[in-house]
């Protein structure tokens, strides 16, 4: 016999059919979001490979939009700057010179090594009061830069779906560039323990990220959650573009 409610009605110990149906619909929704996410990144990666665009065009935005702070794009692992083109276009339309660190390539190196390449670019371009806009691993690289010797050149960072606390899935990969996101990784734990840069970071993250199940919330940072789902697909979302522009320009000159 099952338990009874205060009104005397018997309640089964099993999950009710409406709850089971809602659970199934939710799982199907997540699966659809996952599939759409991979379709999005596949399309952009193929498009970027076949149609290489010169990033220097974003260095000189329309002068009618006014001259604003420079932005430095840092993509995620196995990504190049072209995956961030929707953000580059939104920022350039506002008058921000958008810089791409092409020496990052597809960003397969160690976080500290990639950070040094960004630092070299900052000094070579003599940038000051710049804002980093980063995706995924780029957020970890950006935080490393904020904490490093060229951190004074960066006013703030806006990171999208960055694995600040790592991802439990990383331990299942043999590739070092992915295993680096394990919560047990020494370099990652060092970045987590360094809290002084967090106040200069805005972390924007999806409602569901299949790559970072723990989310991208960062203690001491400004945290904003999107309605969109996915690790890559939000990069094309106009809601994200608006938020990134707002955060880049917040407190700026």
């Amino acid at each position: 016999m099952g338990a009874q409610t205060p009104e005397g009605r018997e309640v089964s110990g099993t999950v009710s059919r409406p709850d089971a149906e809602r659970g199934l619909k939710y799982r199907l929704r997540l699966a659809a979001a996952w599939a759409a996410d991979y379709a999005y990144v596949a399309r952009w990666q193929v498009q970027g490979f076949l149609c290489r665009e010169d990033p220097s065009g974003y260095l000189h935005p329309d002068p009618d939009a006014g001259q604003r702070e420079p932005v430095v794009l840092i993509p995620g692992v196995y990504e190049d700057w072209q995956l961030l083109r929707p953000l580059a276009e939104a920022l350039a339309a506002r008058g921000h010179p958008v810089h791409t660190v092409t020496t990052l390539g597809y960003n397969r190196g160690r976080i500290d090594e990639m950070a040094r390449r960004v630092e070299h670019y900052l000094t070579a371009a003599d940038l000051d009061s710049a804002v980093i806009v980063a995706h995924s691993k780029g957020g970890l690289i950006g935080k490393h830069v904020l904490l490093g010797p060229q951190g004074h050149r960066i006013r703030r960072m806006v990171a999208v779906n960055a694995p600040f606390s790592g991802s439990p899935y990383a331990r299942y990969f043999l590739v070092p560039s992915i295993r680096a996101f394990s919560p047990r990784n020494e370099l990652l734990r060092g970045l987590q323990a360094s809290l002084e840069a967090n106040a200069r970071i805005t972390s924007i993250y999806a409602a569901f990220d299949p790559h970072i199940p723990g989310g991208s919330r960062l203690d001491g940072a400004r945290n904003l959650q999107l309605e969109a789902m996915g690790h890559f697909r939000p990069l094309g979302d106009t809601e994200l573009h608006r938020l990134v522009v707002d955060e880049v320009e917040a407190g700026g000159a």
Side-chain angles (χ1 to χ4, degrees), residues 165-187:
S165 298
S167 171
Y169 300 145
R171 68 178 183 271
Y172 299 115
F173 289 80
L174 298 178
V175 183
S177 55
I178 302 297
R179 286 185 67 86
F181 304 134
S182 168
R184 298 179 180 179
N185 181 273
E186 185 177 350
L187 197 156

Side-chain angles (χ1 to χ4, degrees), residues 11 33 86 104 110 122 127 135 199 228:
V11 179
L104 291 174
R110 283 172 51 97
L122 293 173
L127 294 185
H135 176 241

Side-chain angles (χ1 to χ4, degrees), residues 63-75:
D64 292 338
Q67 186 67 26
R68 298 179 183 268
E69 293 171 307
V71 171
V72 180
L73 298 182
I74 307 181

Side-chain angles (χ1 to χ4, degrees), residues 90-91 94 96 240-250:
L91 289 160
R94 290 284 299 172
H96 294 278
L240 175 68
H241 303 167
R242 178 184 60 79
L243 286 176
V244 168
V245 167
D246 287 348
E247 292 303 307
V248 165
E249 297 179 357

